[in-house]
Amino acid sequence: MPVLVMKFGGTSVANIDRIRRAAKRVGLEVAKGYDVIVIVSAMSGKTNELVGWVNEISPLHDAREYDAVVSAGENVTAGLMALTLQEMDIPARSWQGWQVPLKTNSAHSAARIESIPTDNINGRFAQGMRVAVVAGFQGISPEGRITTLGRGGSDTTAVAFAAAFDAERCDIYTDVDGVYTTDPRITSKARKLDKIAFEEMLELASLGAKVLQTRSVELAMRYNVKLRVLSSFEEPSDEAGTLVCAEEEIMESKVVSGIAYSRDEAKMTLISVADRPGIAAAIFGPLSEAGVNVDMIIQNIAEEGRTDMTFSCPTDQVLRAEKALREAKERGDINYHDLVADTNVAKVSAVGIGMRSQSGVAAKMFKTLSDEGINIKVIATSEIKISVLIDRKYMELAVQALHDAFELDKAA
Ligand code: ASP
Ligand code: MG
């Protein structure tokens, strides 16, 4: 029988009533003839509560015990979901990560999945079980200890199971009804997308559209797992949600699919750096060692052997960046006149696979911002994305104006 993976996030299993509603959806798919693997998150708020307890006892905790504690929320929902299904006369059984076993490396609290043997669960499907309920977010290390996959990790569990079991689709049930052209809180014209390409979703996810854990999208892209994001609060329908899929499956798309933003960006400028071979390595090496996520970079044209170097990073990494650069200067590895941080900027990006084949997107973007009197401080482009850094106070305006300019309120 074909396998379907259905993942329910914390708000979809927040109480017994919601677990029952989720179980009904599972029942609908079982009735269609699917063997279903259900991946559950902890009830909403539970993981935060567990993390809080760990931190209260031990701020610099042993990561192995952190994982032992924070993985517990999912165990509860897995058992409750299996019981609910059994009460509906659907043959179901729960699995914790180690029982599958979902094998990971030993990177506690941010473990990577190494393999998921399918024989155990498939054996039970062969005997007539119709639903395997698996606790998301957790696995087992080579040392035999419980591991977790990082916050939001149940999405990644779900995609990994879909890949391992060659599932027809992986449905991610959440509290939003799909992926939007932009944040509906910024413009009411934001429209739900029927389909979006993996690569676009990755850009949107990493730019702060937190619908899916970024790793889960990377994994889905690598194994070509069809992902559907949908709300467990809406009536079931085949058209519900947004399908995240390979580019080839999207027949018609707009040049720009979405406008993303990231509010907490900072722009840092090193003034008057000696322009010599190796200077970029001498600056960005220490930054990367200090764990600073540098995003955009510009190096100005040098005059008399000196230049300005500007880069952006998240606002909460500014202090770390300043320290790393100051230390590099003290060691004599770099030499600059001044370091200026502007923490009042935001990044706005237009994303779309259509940009690969169409020109003029950048020009239109810049014209739109200039018509609104918004000054662009830094520009960066990739094959499917154009990003600008602007004053934070204009962020909403920029998103709205670009959404209008690219007519994202209208279907392709
Ligand atoms: N419960 C975990 C968390 O809150 C994993 C997940 O829900 O995806 O991060
Ligand atoms: Mg989540």
Side-chain angles (χ1 to χ4, degrees), residues 203-218:
E203 293 288 5
L204 295 173
S206 62
L207 287 167
K210 294 190 183 67
V211 202
L212 292 171
Q213 198 195 32
T214 309
R215 266 171 71 192
S216 71
V217 183
E218 284 165 2

Side-chain angles (χ1 to χ4, degrees), residues 3 46-47 59 75 106-107 122 142 145 168 171 175 186 192 203 223 235 242 253 294 301 322 349 371:
V3 172
K46 281 294 163 204
T47 311
N75 296 344
S106 313
N122 272 337
R145 308 264 357 149
E168 198 167 294
D171 286 345
D175 49 7
I186 293 192
K192 185 179 72 89
E203 293 288 5
Y223 292 99
E235 283 308 307
T242 300
S253 80
V294 172
I301 289 177
E322 282 173 343
S349 310
D371 287 349

Side-chain angles (χ1 to χ4, degrees), residues 105-410:
N105 64 8
S106 313
H108 283 277
S109 84
R112 305 205 58 100
I113 298 173
E114 286 182 342
S115 68
I116 304 179
T118 56
D119 39 326
N120 183 339
I121 288 176
N122 272 337
R124 298 300 293 267
F125 278 142
Q127 289 165 18
M129 180 194 68
R130 300 300 307 280
V131 184
V133 185
V134 179
F137 175 55
Q138 49 172 268
I140 184 167
S141 73
E143 294 77 29
R145 308 264 357 149
I146 306 297
T147 52
T148 64
L149 310 178
R151 298 305 304 270
S154 296
D155 293 338
T156 300
T157 308
V159 173
F161 268 84
F165 285 80
D166 204 13
E168 198 167 294
R169 213 176 52 237
C170 180
D171 286 345
I172 307 274
Y173 284 91
T174 170
D175 49 7
V176 294
D177 60 356
V179 180
Y180 278 71
T181 49
T182 194
D183 186 340
R185 287 170 301 186
I186 293 192
T187 166
S188 56
K189 292 184 195 163
R191 186 175 49 86
K192 185 179 72 89
L193 293 159
D194 294 331
K195 285 184 179 183
I196 185 169
F198 291 127
E199 279 167 291
E200 293 173 323
M201 189 64 218
L202 272 178
E203 293 288 5
L204 295 173
S206 62
L207 287 167
K210 294 190 183 67
V211 202
L212 292 171
Q213 198 195 32
T214 309
R215 266 171 71 192
S216 71
V217 183
E218 284 165 2
L219 204 62
M221 182 157 102
R222 174 140 29 104
Y223 292 99
N224 202 5
V225 171
K226 263 190 215 154
L227 266 178
R228 191 163 63 137
V229 178
L230 67 175
S231 163
S232 59
F233 300 93
E234 287 206 335
E235 283 308 307
S237 103
D238 286 342
E239 281 85 59
T242 300
L243 192 70
V244 189
C245 58
E247 222 173 299
E248 300 76 54
E249 287 178 55
I250 302 177
M251 298 301 281
E252 257 178 299
S253 80
K254 299 201 150 197
V255 192
V256 171
S257 302
I259 306 295
Y261 66 86
S262 149
R263 199 182 294 272
D264 300 310
E265 297 286 320
K267 173 169 102 59
M268 306 196 67
T269 305
L270 283 158
I271 306 206
S272 188
V273 196
D275 188 20
R276 56 167 173 81
I279 188 64
I283 293 171
F284 295 105
L287 287 173
S288 114
E289 272 157 42
V292 177
N293 296 311
V294 172
D295 180 27
M296 306 159 132
I297 298 176
I298 1 176
Q299 180 178 349
N300 290 15
I301 289 177
E303 253 178 78
E304 289 163 21
R306 300 194 80 83
T307 183
D308 293 345
M309 187 81 90
T310 300
F311 62 90
S312 70
C313 69
T315 328
D316 59 5
Q317 296 180 358
V318 165
L319 291 178
R320 235 188 282 169
E322 282 173 343
K323 180 164 178 275
L325 292 170
R326 204 171 46 236
E327 286 170 1
K329 189 179 182 182
E330 279 158 13
R331 284 196 305 271
D333 295 345
I334 50 175
N335 157 348
Y336 56 86
H337 178 65
D338 204 359
L339 174 59
V340 185
D342 177 356
T343 52
N344 285 313
V345 291
K347 181 169 67 175
V348 175
S349 310
V351 174
I353 45 173
M355 283 185 212
R356 288 212 177 104
S357 51
Q358 280 224 35
S359 57
V361 179
K364 188 165 182 174
M365 181 163 180
F366 303 154
K367 172 85 169 58
T368 304
L369 295 173
S370 114
D371 287 349
E372 298 293 338
I374 301 172
N375 185 37
I376 302 171
K377 301 186 165 206
V378 181
I379 301 169
T381 64
S382 78
E383 236 191 336
I384 66 161
K385 179 179 75 173
I386 301 170
S387 303
V388 294
L389 220 53
I390 58 174
D391 271 333
R392 187 170 305 134
K393 61 178 185 237
Y394 298 127
M395 194 192 81
E396 273 89 358
L397 175 63
V399 171
Q400 289 156 357
L402 292 169
H403 198 272
D404 283 346
F406 290 105
E407 301 184 357
L408 296 186
D409 53 330
K410 302 192 189 91

